[in-house]
């Protein structure tokens, strides 16, 4: 029997001071909420305490009571009725404590947790600087397991072949039976014993498009009676990195992923199941990627399970960032590796174990041990380790390299041969971009475009290289960081989304590479005052359409096609629009095609060089138009103002229609906005009070009347909850680059509730 142990905790920021002034909290819980930016990382560093009381019925006397903590950041000492019963020194893996011998059966019991959240601890990832906040608290769920003495302690499932499994079970019970159950609930295979291999040829395979999941239902039996049962979801599939690419079930797939931190505004790591799952859904269904790296630590089981369900591949790794500590620190690293593999190996989405401290120096003695642990526990997956070193020692199976070589005007990526001497070993890019070009949502348009094009460039380079298995650009969303990093306000603006998962322009680069998400995102507002000298220049449309048709005030200008010349390897190159005159001189001015081409060339040259610096070739063409067509200077000025400059004229309305298979799949209209409104999008409005509180992410954007982001709208946004709903974060916010957001959570009651955002009210329904 598993009992959720998430409600009814007391919390104190000073463990030694006791719980007299403690506050009541629910898990997941952060040691202290922090501001959106301009933060002090010392705020969440403390030796805090958690306390929970519970009654143990007399009928539990012949049971074992196991307390499981899914995440306690970062050093936890557990006491039961004053007796120390457990200790754990990693904030990113789960641990269990047997409290049976200290329990008062038939009476009240008290669980105390002394939790050290300080970053001075001698455990990974601490010891040097870190480019992300590590927060603190009992930030994942806690469960009390009431078990038979011969309970099932562990089930390890390995994929040894396409339809083959190796299963190992730890239990003191002599009789153990296992059923393999498919997604419909049908038993498709069975086995007995604590260690066995099993072939299930009729099992449906787990894949990106059809992520079929099965369940191993393990039963411990005594005298024909089931005394304990444990179920784990898994999938039948093979994953393999080879010199020429990554293979899932024998099919070669280019990995197009992003890096993800597990953090959120205000509360750091502490979010419940539905919000953890949401990030997987955003990656798969909004960004259109097929893989994610859990930088730089194991992440929530809820997030990984949702990746299982969606068909999203995962590269997960042990905690750490550049630093390698002393012998005690190293021993903890090996233990972290063991815990990571044991706790996550049943997930079919996980394709690779990261057994090296991110961006660390070579340390062969340590990495021989971490590789051995992973390979011994799990023969079905390879190992890797993220490095910034070229020609580094390679004790793992796959060379992972952070390639930050692209600067916007050079090759997207280094050649594999220049990075690793192991030319016959698999290779992929684990990070790129990121800090090379931080981009805020409120940066000017050209900066945001340059950011997007850098992502397009590295993706194109990855697709062009047959010996690069995939790429994980940095990163999914902006995140809080230490004072050593970021933009001085405690934020690394490295994401393709902001902290509330609102997309920046660069997000469209990823979405457009998916065939399943209709995409048409225009890089420019088409406002001439946003650009030096009013020159809009090239406009990029990130789309997976066959073409884009451009209209000016409802009149067809020209049809444009994907830019294969600039991005020859991308599945869906951006459509580059560099001609805003198109056929208008023919259809609207009556010019023949040859004259129209000449006039267009001259007008565009004026836009580029100015009237006083025109090249001789263009001056000659102007002269020829005057001699042969009676063209006057005033005609040129009029046409320039009408089709290029637009200074002082009526506001132009541009329409971009994305065409696929002859149909419009998406349309975007650009024109100077005059009426801004707020768009409020909650991740869900049906919330459930279950094992703990539920929460929703609410994205807020300022849009004009055409549905376009209004990046310079800076009015205050007032947030207020009513009913059985609580706001996470401040009640008054401002949008950044036209985007922002908040979180709301339930408070233990059912019924109707609402969130008001200025004059907009969003209704929620909460059930128990």
């Amino acid at each position: 029997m598993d009992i959720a142990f998430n409600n009814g905790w007391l919390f104190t920021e000073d463990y030694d001071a006791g719980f007299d002034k403690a506050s009541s909290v629910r898990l997941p819980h952060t040691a202290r909420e922090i501001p959106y930016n301009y933060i002090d990382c010392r705020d969440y560093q403390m030796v805090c305490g958690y306390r929970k009381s519970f009654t143990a019925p007399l009928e539990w006397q012949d049971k074992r009571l196991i307390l499981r903590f899914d995440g306690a950041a970062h050093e936890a000492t557990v006491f039961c009725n004053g007796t120390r019963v457990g200790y754990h020194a990693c904030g990113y893996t789960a641990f269990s404590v047997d409290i049976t011998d200290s329990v008062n059966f038939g009476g009240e019991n008290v669980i105390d947790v002394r939790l050290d959240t300080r970053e001075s601890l001698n455990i990974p990832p601490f010891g040097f600087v870190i480019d992300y906040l590590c927060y603190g608290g009992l930030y994942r769920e806690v469960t009390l397991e009431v078990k038979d003495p011969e309970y099932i302690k562990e089930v390890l499932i390995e994929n040894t072949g396409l339809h083959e499994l190796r299963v190992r079970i730890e239990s003191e019970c002599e009789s153990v039976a296992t059923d393999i159950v498919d997604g419909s609930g049908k038993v498709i295979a069975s086995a007995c014993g604590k260690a066995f291999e099993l072939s299930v040829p009729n099992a449906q395979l787990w894949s990106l498009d059809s992520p079929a999941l099965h369940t191993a239902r393990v039963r411990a039996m005594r005298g024909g009676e089931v005394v304990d049962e444990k179920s784990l979801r898994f999938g039948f599939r093979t994953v393999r990195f080879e010199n020429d690419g990554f293979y899932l079930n024998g099919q070669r797939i280019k990995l197009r992923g992003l890096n993800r931190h597990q953090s959120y505004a205000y509360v750091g790591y502490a979010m419940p199941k539905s919000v953890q799952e949401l990030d997987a859904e955003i990656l798969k269904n909004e960004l259109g990627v097929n893989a994610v790296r859990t930088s730089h630590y194991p992440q929530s089981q809820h997030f990984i399970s949702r990746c299982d369900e969606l068909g999203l591949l995962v590269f997960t790794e042990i905690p750490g960032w550049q630093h390698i500590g002393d012998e005690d620190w190293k021993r903890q690293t090996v233990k972290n590796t063991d815990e990571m593999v044991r706790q996550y190996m049943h997930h079919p989405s996980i394709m690779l174990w990261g057994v090296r401290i991110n961006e660390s120096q070579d340390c062969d003695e340590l990495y021989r041990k971490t590789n051995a642990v992973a390979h011994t526990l799990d023969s079905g997956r390879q190992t890797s380790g993220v490095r910034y070193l070229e020609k580094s020692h390679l004790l793992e199976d796959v060379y992972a390299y952070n390639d930050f070589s692209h600067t916007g005007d050079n090759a997207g990526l280094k050649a594999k041969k220049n990075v690793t001497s192991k030319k016959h070993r698999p290779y992929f890019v684990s990070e790129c971009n990121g800090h090379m070009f931080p981009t805020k949502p409120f940066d000017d348009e050209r900066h945001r475009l340059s950011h997007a094009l850098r992502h397009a460039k590295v993706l194109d380079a990855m697709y062009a290289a047959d010996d690069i298995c995939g790429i994980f650009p940095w990163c999914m969303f902006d995140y809080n960081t230490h004072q050593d990093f970021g933009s001085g306000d405690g934020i690394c603006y490295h994401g393709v989304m902001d902290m509330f998962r609102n997309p920046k322009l660069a997000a469209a680069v990823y979405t457009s590479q998916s065939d399943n998400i209709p995409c048409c995102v225009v890089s420019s507002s088409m406002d001439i005052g946003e650009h030096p000298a009013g020159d809009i220049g090239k406009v990029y449309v990130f789309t997976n359409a066959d073409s884009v048709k451009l209209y000016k005030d409802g009149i067809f200008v020209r049809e444009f096609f994907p830019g294969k010349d600039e991005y020859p390897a991308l599945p869906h190159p951006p459509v580059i629009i560099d001609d805003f005159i198109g056929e208008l001189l023919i259809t609207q001015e009556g010019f023949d095609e040859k004259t129209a081409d000449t006039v267009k060339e001259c007008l565009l040259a004026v836009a580029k060089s100015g009237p006083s610096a025109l090249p001789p070739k263009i001056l000659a063409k102007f002269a020829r138009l005057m001699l042969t067509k009676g063209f006057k200077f005033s005609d040129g000025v009029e046409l320039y103002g009408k089709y290029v400059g637009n200074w002082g004229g009526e506001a132009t309305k541009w329409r971009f229609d994305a065409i696929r298979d002859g149909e419009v799949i998406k349309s975007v209209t650009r024109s100077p906005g005059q009426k801004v409104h707020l768009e409020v999008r909650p991740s869900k409005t049906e919330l459930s009070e279950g094992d703990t509180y539920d929460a929703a992410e609410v994205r807020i954007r300022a849009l004009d009347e055409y549905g376009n982001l209004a990046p310079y709208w800076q009015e205050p946004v007032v947030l207020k909850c009513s009913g059985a709903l609580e706001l996470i974060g401040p009640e008054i916010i401002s949008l950044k680059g036209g985007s922002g957001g908040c979180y709301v959570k339930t408070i233990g009651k059912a019924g109707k509730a609402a969130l008001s955002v200025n004059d907009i009210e969003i209704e929620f329904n909460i059930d128990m």
Side-chain angles (χ1 to χ4, degrees):
M1 175 172 58
D2 289 353
I3 301 171
F5 239 46
N6 301 314
N7 298 324
W9 288 87
L10 294 175
F11 172 74
T12 175
E13 292 189 355
D14 186 349
Y15 179 81
D16 292 334
F19 289 86
D20 290 343
K21 297 181 180 179
S23 56
S24 179
V25 301
R26 306 172 77 192
L27 309 184
H29 179 258
T30 187
R32 185 181 291 172
E33 292 188 14
I34 62 172
Y36 182 84
N37 58 357
Y38 292 101
I39 55 180
D40 186 343
C41 65
R42 293 170 295 185
D43 284 350
Y44 60 78
Q45 297 186 49
M46 61 189 75
V47 180
C48 58
Y50 290 84
R51 171 173 287 179
K52 182 174 174 62
S53 300
F54 73 101
T55 301
L58 284 172
E59 54 265 32
W60 287 1
Q61 285 187 96
D62 61 345
K63 303 292 185 181
R64 302 304 297 180
L65 271 60
I66 315 297
L67 203 55
R68 188 184 76 238
F69 295 82
D70 289 341
H74 288 273
E75 183 184 66
T77 308
V78 184
F79 300 86
C80 180
N81 296 326
T83 300
R84 174 172 161 157
V85 291
Y87 169 83
H88 189 252
C90 177
Y92 300 100
T93 53
F95 67 99
S96 295
V97 177
D98 190 327
I99 63 173
T100 311
D101 296 340
S102 301
V103 168
N104 176 25
F105 292 99
E108 281 291 304
N109 297 273
V110 176
I111 299 295
D112 279 356
V113 181
R114 178 189 184 274
L115 192 64
D116 194 336
T117 72
R118 292 174 296 183
E119 296 182 359
S120 56
L121 293 165
N122 189 36
I123 60 174
F126 307 123
F128 193 54
V129 297
I130 305 172
D131 173 31
Y132 52 93
L133 296 189
C134 297
Y135 307 101
L138 293 182
Y139 72 94
R140 294 178 187 161
E141 293 83 354
V142 175
T143 304
L144 177 64
E145 301 174 343
V146 183
K147 299 291 188 180
D148 185 271
E150 296 180 342
Y151 70 97
I152 300 164
K153 295 182 179 179
E154 184 175 61
V155 178
L156 302 180
I157 302 173
E158 290 179 80
N159 285 112
T160 56
L162 203 57
H163 292 92
E164 285 72 45
L165 300 176
R166 179 184 295 122
V167 180
R168 287 165 288 169
I169 302 163
E170 183 183 354
S171 172
E172 293 180 8
C173 193
E174 287 302 316
S175 179
V176 178
T178 301
D179 289 335
I180 305 301
V181 183
D182 68 13
S184 68
K186 179 182 177 182
V187 176
I188 60 174
S190 299
C192 293
K194 298 180 184 179
F196 58 87
E197 295 189 2
L198 192 63
S199 180
V200 190
N202 60 330
Q204 186 179 352
L205 297 181
W206 186 93
S207 66
L208 299 183
D209 297 324
S210 182
L213 294 171
H214 294 71
T215 301
R217 192 171 63 208
V218 183
R219 301 181 307 282
M221 317 279 290
R222 186 172 58 240
E225 179 184 351
V226 177
V227 297
D228 192 25
E229 185 170 342
K230 191 178 186 70
S231 294
L232 283 180
R233 274 194 331 185
F234 70 98
F236 287 91
R237 55 94 186 104
T238 56
V239 286
R240 190 74 187 170
F241 286 81
E242 300 287 358
N243 187 50
D244 65 340
F246 169 75
Y247 290 82
L248 174 63
N249 302 331
Q251 179 184 356
R252 187 170 182 261
I253 295 171
K254 276 283 194 179
L255 297 171
R256 183 179 70 250
L258 284 166
N259 281 271
R260 180 217 185 217
H261 273 303
Q262 64 174 13
S263 58
Y264 301 87
Y266 313 125
V267 295
Y269 294 159
M271 276 294 181
K273 177 182 178 181
S274 61
V275 181
Q276 297 285 348
E277 293 177 329
L278 180 61
D279 269 3
E281 294 162 8
I282 291 171
L283 284 161
K284 178 81 174 187
N285 300 327
E286 293 186 31
L287 293 170
V289 299
N290 59 22
V292 59
R293 174 186 171 214
T294 64
S295 46
H296 304 285
Y297 39 77
Q299 297 184 4
S300 165
Q301 291 278 355
H302 300 313
F303 173 75
I304 305 298
S305 292
R306 192 65 180 129
C307 292
D308 292 342
E309 296 168 351
L310 292 169
L312 188 65
L313 291 159
V314 179
F315 168 35
T316 195
E317 61 190 335
I318 55 177
W321 204 78
Q322 296 187 347
H323 170 73
I324 298 175
D326 60 17
E327 292 306 311
D328 288 340
W329 197 99
K330 293 175 184 176
R331 277 190 288 272
Q332 184 62 48
T333 296
V334 176
K335 184 178 181 182
N336 291 348
T337 307
D338 180 271
E339 290 181 343
M340 175 184 70
V341 176
R342 288 178 183 275
Q343 294 173 20
Y344 291 85
M345 64 185 292
H346 63 282
H347 290 286
S349 59
I350 293 180
M351 60 179 170
L352 189 66
W353 299 120
V355 299
R356 179 183 172 112
I357 300 299
N358 174 71
E359 292 188 335
S360 61
Q361 296 290 326
D362 290 331
C363 185
D364 291 1
E365 179 188 11
L366 173 60
Y367 295 138
R368 285 193 184 96
K369 293 176 182 177
T370 59
N371 274 277
V373 166
H375 285 136
T376 300
L377 287 172
D378 183 11
S379 62
R381 292 182 182 89
Q382 295 157 293
T383 61
S384 187
V386 172
R387 50 190 33 88
Y388 69 92
L389 301 171
E390 297 179 9
K391 316 296 184 181
S392 167
H393 297 180
L394 181 59
L395 302 177
E396 304 85 48
D397 303 305
V398 184
Y399 201 105
Y401 178 68
N402 289 349
D403 185 347
F404 292 110
S405 60
H406 183 55
T407 57
D409 56 0
N410 61 341
L413 297 171
K414 293 181 180 179
K416 173 186 174 181
K417 65 180 181 179
N418 295 332
V419 176
T420 173
S421 56
K422 307 291 185 180
K423 63 179 181 179
H424 296 301
R425 299 284 284 277
Y427 172 81
F428 71 94
V429 175
S430 41
E431 292 181 26
C432 58
N433 287 335
H435 71 280
M436 298 300 294
F437 202 75
T439 300
K440 305 170 185 65
F442 46 88
D443 280 329
D444 67 79
E445 185 176 293
R446 289 196 173 186
H447 188 104
R448 285 179 270 134
L449 174 58
S450 182
H451 182 227
L453 295 182
R454 287 169 182 249
H455 280 270
K457 191 72 172 181
V458 297
L459 280 179
D460 183 69
M462 182 273 291
Y463 276 106
D466 290 335
D467 56 1
I468 298 180
C469 296
I471 193 169
F472 294 82
W474 192 264
C475 59
M476 179 184 174
F477 55 83
D478 299 338
Y479 56 95
N480 289 125
T481 189
H482 294 87
Q483 64 270 19
D484 314 75
F485 304 96
S487 294
D489 64 346
I491 296 179
C492 277
Y493 293 98
H494 299 172
V496 300
M497 293 180 146
D498 70 13
M499 213 179 296
F500 292 103
R501 283 57 166 176
N502 292 296
K504 301 177 189 177
L505 181 61
V509 177
Y510 295 88
T511 306
S512 63
Q513 302 315 306
S514 169
D515 292 324
N516 303 319
I517 310 169
C519 181
C520 179
V521 177
V522 180
S523 70
S524 179
S525 66
M526 305 301 289
D527 296 314
I528 56 177
E530 175 71 359
H531 304 273
D535 180 16
I536 291 177
K538 292 181 180 179
V539 172
Y540 289 75
V541 181
F542 299 100
T543 181
N544 45 21
D546 301 327
S547 66
V548 172
K549 290 184 177 180
L550 177 65
Y551 295 84
K552 183 178 182 180
D553 295 326
I555 301 171
F556 177 72
V557 176
R558 183 179 155 187
E559 186 171 13
F560 298 84
F561 297 89
K564 278 291 185 182
D565 290 340
E566 288 195 28
Y567 303 95
L570 268 185
H572 298 289
V575 172
I576 303 170
I577 296 180
D578 55 2
D579 177 6
F580 302 100
I581 301 174
E583 299 178 9
L584 294 177
L585 294 176
I586 298 174
T587 61
Q588 304 304 302
E589 302 298 332
F591 292 150
D592 60 75
E593 185 174 345
K594 184 176 180 181
T595 302
D597 288 343
T598 303
V599 173
K600 183 197 301 185
E601 184 181 2
C602 293
L603 295 178
L604 294 177
V606 172
K608 182 178 181 180
S609 305
S612 61
L614 291 174
K617 176 183 175 183
I618 297 299
L619 291 173
K621 291 192 174 187
F622 263 124
R624 194 174 302 113
L625 286 170
M626 296 173 71
L627 290 172
T628 61
K629 302 294 182 180
F631 206 75
K632 298 186 292 293
F633 179 79
S634 58
D635 295 331
V637 171
E638 181 183 353
L639 291 173
Y640 183 86
K642 189 174 182 180
Y643 293 106
V644 181
N646 279 340
W647 293 106
E650 291 292 327
T652 302
K653 186 179 291 187
W654 299 95
R655 192 176 86 237
F656 303 79
D657 286 353
I659 310 295
R660 183 194 290 169
D661 299 327
E663 302 290 332
V664 177
I665 62 168
K666 205 162 186 182
S667 184
V668 173
T669 297
R670 291 280 200 255
S671 191
Q674 299 176 4
K675 299 177 182 178
V676 175
H677 65 280
L678 292 181
E679 176 193 71
V680 182
R681 293 176 54 200
S683 56
K684 61 177 184 176
T685 55
E686 298 291 323
L687 302 177
S688 298
E689 272 280 340
D691 293 340
T692 183
Y693 63 89
D694 198 2
E697 180 179 81
V698 182
R699 289 187 260 187
I700 305 170
R701 299 195 303 161
L703 305 179
D704 67 17
E705 58 267 43
Y706 305 105
N708 300 312
L709 193 68
Y712 306 129
W713 192 84
Q714 302 179 43
E715 300 302 311
V717 176
V718 180
L719 310 169
K720 186 176 181 181
C721 285
S722 60
L725 204 62
E726 183 178 287
L727 181 68
I728 297 175
E731 294 185 347
I732 301 177
I733 64 170
S734 61
L735 304 187
K736 284 84 174 172
S739 299
C742 68
Y743 303 98
V744 294
K745 67 178 183 179
T746 60
I747 58 173
K749 301 176 183 178
K752 299 290 184 181
L755 167 70
S756 64
V757 183
N758 286 2
D759 58 347
I760 300 171
E761 186 167 283
I762 305 296
E763 294 185 350
F764 293 83
N765 183 56
I766 303 165
D767 60 44
M768 299 293 283

